[in-house]
Amino acid sequence: MTGPELGPFPKDPPGGRRAVAVWGIGVAVYFVAVIFRTSLGVAGLEAADRFHVSASALSTFSLLQLLVYAGMQVPVGLMVDRLGTKRVLTLGAVLFTAGQVGFALSPTYGMALAARALLGCGDAMTFISVLRLGTRWFPARRGPLMAQLAGLVGMAGNLVSTLVLAPVLHGLGWVPAFAGSAAAGLLVLVPLVLFLRDHPEGHEPAPVRAAAAGAVGGAGFVRSQIRDSWREPGTRLGLWVHFTTQFPAMVFLLLWGMPFLVEAQGLERTTAAGLLTLIVASNMGFGLVYGQIIGRRQAARIPLALGTVGLTAALWGSVLAYPGQRAPMWLLVALCVVLGTCGPASMIGFDFARPANPAERQGTASGITNMGGFLASMTTLLTVGILLDATGDDYRIAFSSVFVVELLGLAQILRLRGRALGREREREHRGPAADPTPTRPAPASA
């Protein structure tokens, strides 16, 4: 399959302290969004009691949130490309804060679902915006590291959910914990509105060409952005890398980890919370390692992604197949350490989509890529809940669905990697000066 020719990227921004400050504001918004997103992961059992729901109905909370998040990725990417980072981040912060307040005060299951959907909508606007800030404010060679650092800060938000929100929830109750945490959303809005800028002076993105985009801002623009991004094998490879690597840890952290460790493995809640914290800490450590490796050696992307998938499957298989009712603590610790590699590995997907698309398509391409892991997570969250209800809470059968999803993603990565890497080499050989954006994209082949 051949894609449209790539346009030149603008000159590298300088980076520096101001870039760090502006990027830091965006990352702070993402940090709060992740706290809100993962807050249900430490409150799954309490949510089941509060709303009197079964395992599959409980999974619907996270499923709906992820469905909204995944469905919003391409629209958000288009919004970022068209409206800029500041406007999209501001709207996202307002929405996810309102969703967290609504979830705290919801008296019924239906209202709580609506609140999580609103939260997911706002959350969907954060990460792509932060990626865009990184490409606008820092040199291209810093791209992999800045993306991994953003993911690391997001995992720190997960850590706050585990270490701070969980004790508050158990000590003060549902409403104080969730409504009180919503104050963080208001806190990050102030510097966002006052100080965030989309790009440094003199580094404005190239305007979208009307001939290529149709009616700029209208249906022609939308079709062109999505079509041209999807035609690039690097974008599609990025989606499948994100799909295959992210979901095992997200399913565990977002909902099913705590019930699995407490109900299936017989651990105390404090011990289970410690293992969830270990995943987050491992993620943060591996994020720095993966970012440094990829920044120095692009050829390491595929081996790192495939190695993460293989190691994750091996540890899951060892835990689920362990003879006896419960796996030993050392094996659960090993599983949680390996699950910490999933987040950093998923960021590799953006390192395939980024060089495949010019600056004016970065938001759209990132949105397509970011859909992958959340679609996989959404599918697995629902499947685990259904299987638990159908098998009388047999976690071994329910969590075996992880392998099916991994096999699907692995097949797609192996299918696309040759075309995507060949396209990258072609661009590097020709150079950006010889790679103008045509007014009509090249036709795609199967």
Side-chain angles (χ1 to χ4, degrees):
M1 178 174 183
T2 60
E5 299 298 332
L6 301 177
F9 290 89
K11 60 181 180 179
D12 266 359
R17 286 182 294 180
R18 187 170 182 226
V20 172
V22 172
W23 180 80
I25 294 172
V27 168
V29 177
Y30 175 56
F31 173 77
V32 173
V34 173
I35 294 175
F36 293 176
R37 177 201 304 169
T38 58
S39 57
L40 186 60
V42 297
L45 299 176
E46 288 81 0
D49 291 338
R50 179 178 176 85
F51 299 111
H52 310 291
V53 294
S54 64
S56 57
L58 179 61
S59 69
T60 305
F61 276 122
S62 297
L63 176 66
L64 178 62
Q65 183 180 336
L66 291 181
L67 178 63
V68 172
Y69 188 104
M72 285 291 294
Q73 288 310 292
V74 173
V76 167
L78 292 164
M79 289 170 64
V80 169
D81 286 337
R82 189 73 186 103
L83 302 177
T85 303
K86 182 173 183 175
R87 293 178 181 177
V88 176
L89 264 182
T90 302
L91 178 59
V94 170
L95 292 177
F96 67 60
T97 301
Q100 187 76 341
V101 172
F103 191 61
L105 302 179
S106 295
T108 66
Y109 176 67
M111 292 181 64
L113 279 177
R116 294 305 284 186
L118 186 64
L119 192 157
C121 185
D123 181 21
M125 299 181 180
T126 58
F127 187 64
I128 293 175
S129 298
V130 171
L131 289 179
R132 169 103 166 188
L133 281 177
T135 59
R136 287 285 185 261
W137 282 89
F138 293 95
R141 67 180 184 278
R142 298 273 187 88
L145 180 60
M146 301 313 296
Q148 290 287 355
L149 287 175
L152 185 152
V153 172
M155 290 307 296
N158 203 323
L159 196 63
V160 170
S161 292
T162 304
L163 296 181
V164 178
L165 187 61
V168 173
L169 175 66
H170 301 145
L172 299 180
W174 184 276
V175 174
F178 283 95
S181 67
L186 300 176
L187 187 63
V188 296
L189 263 174
V190 176
L192 169 59
V193 172
L194 294 180
F195 302 116
L196 191 132
R197 299 291 181 269
D198 286 355
H199 47 73
E201 294 182 8
H203 293 269
E204 293 80 2
V208 178
R209 299 181 182 179
V216 176
F221 169 77
V222 171
R223 287 194 299 269
S224 175
Q225 290 287 94
I226 296 174
R227 178 192 63 218
D228 291 349
S229 296
W230 184 253
R231 284 173 185 265
E232 289 294 342
T235 304
R236 286 176 280 124
L237 177 60
L239 179 147
W240 285 107
V241 168
H242 199 270
F243 177 100
T244 313
T245 54
Q246 186 199 49
F247 82 94
M250 177 156 289
V251 167
F252 205 78
L253 288 170
L254 203 58
L255 184 61
W256 292 121
M258 182 69 77
F260 170 74
L261 294 172
V262 172
E263 296 179 352
Q265 298 301 315
L267 301 181
E268 296 291 332
R269 291 184 64 92
T270 53
T271 305
L275 288 175
L276 296 181
T277 303
L278 178 61
I279 298 175
V280 177
S282 173
N283 183 297
M284 297 171 72
F286 279 110
L288 292 174
V289 174
Y290 277 39
Q292 291 287 351
I293 292 175
I294 296 169
R296 296 175 180 177
R297 186 174 176 79
Q298 290 283 290
R301 290 172 298 173
I302 287 291
L304 279 176
L306 296 181
T308 299
V309 174
L311 195 57
T312 302
L315 264 296
W316 260 123
S318 299
V319 169
L320 298 180
Y322 194 85
Q325 290 187 335
R326 298 172 184 174
M329 179 57 69
W330 67 265
L331 187 54
L332 294 176
V333 169
L335 171 65
C336 291
V337 170
V338 169
L339 286 177
T341 65
C342 293
S346 72
M347 302 300 295
I348 297 172
F350 299 102
D351 293 319
F352 288 111
R354 187 184 303 112
N357 293 273
E360 61 270 20
R361 281 208 312 266
Q362 287 295 316
T364 306
S366 296
I368 293 172
T369 299
N370 208 29
M371 286 176 59
F374 292 93
L375 288 173
S377 299
M378 179 176 60
T379 302
T380 310
L381 278 168
L382 179 61
T383 303
V384 169
I386 292 173
L387 290 175
L388 284 174
D389 285 341
T391 61
D393 293 338
D394 189 327
Y395 281 90
R396 291 187 175 184
I397 294 176
F399 273 117
S400 294
S401 58
V402 168
F403 305 119
V404 178
V405 180
E406 282 190 324
L407 282 174
L408 171 62
L410 184 61
Q412 295 299 319
I413 292 172
L414 295 176
R415 182 177 70 86
L416 288 166
R417 62 176 178 171
R419 277 179 283 177
L421 295 177
R423 181 82 167 137
E424 275 190 20
R425 288 191 294 268
E426 176 188 346
R427 177 182 170 86
E428 291 171 359
H429 177 72
R430 296 175 64 182
D435 214 4
T437 302
T439 58
R440 186 184 302 274
S445 59

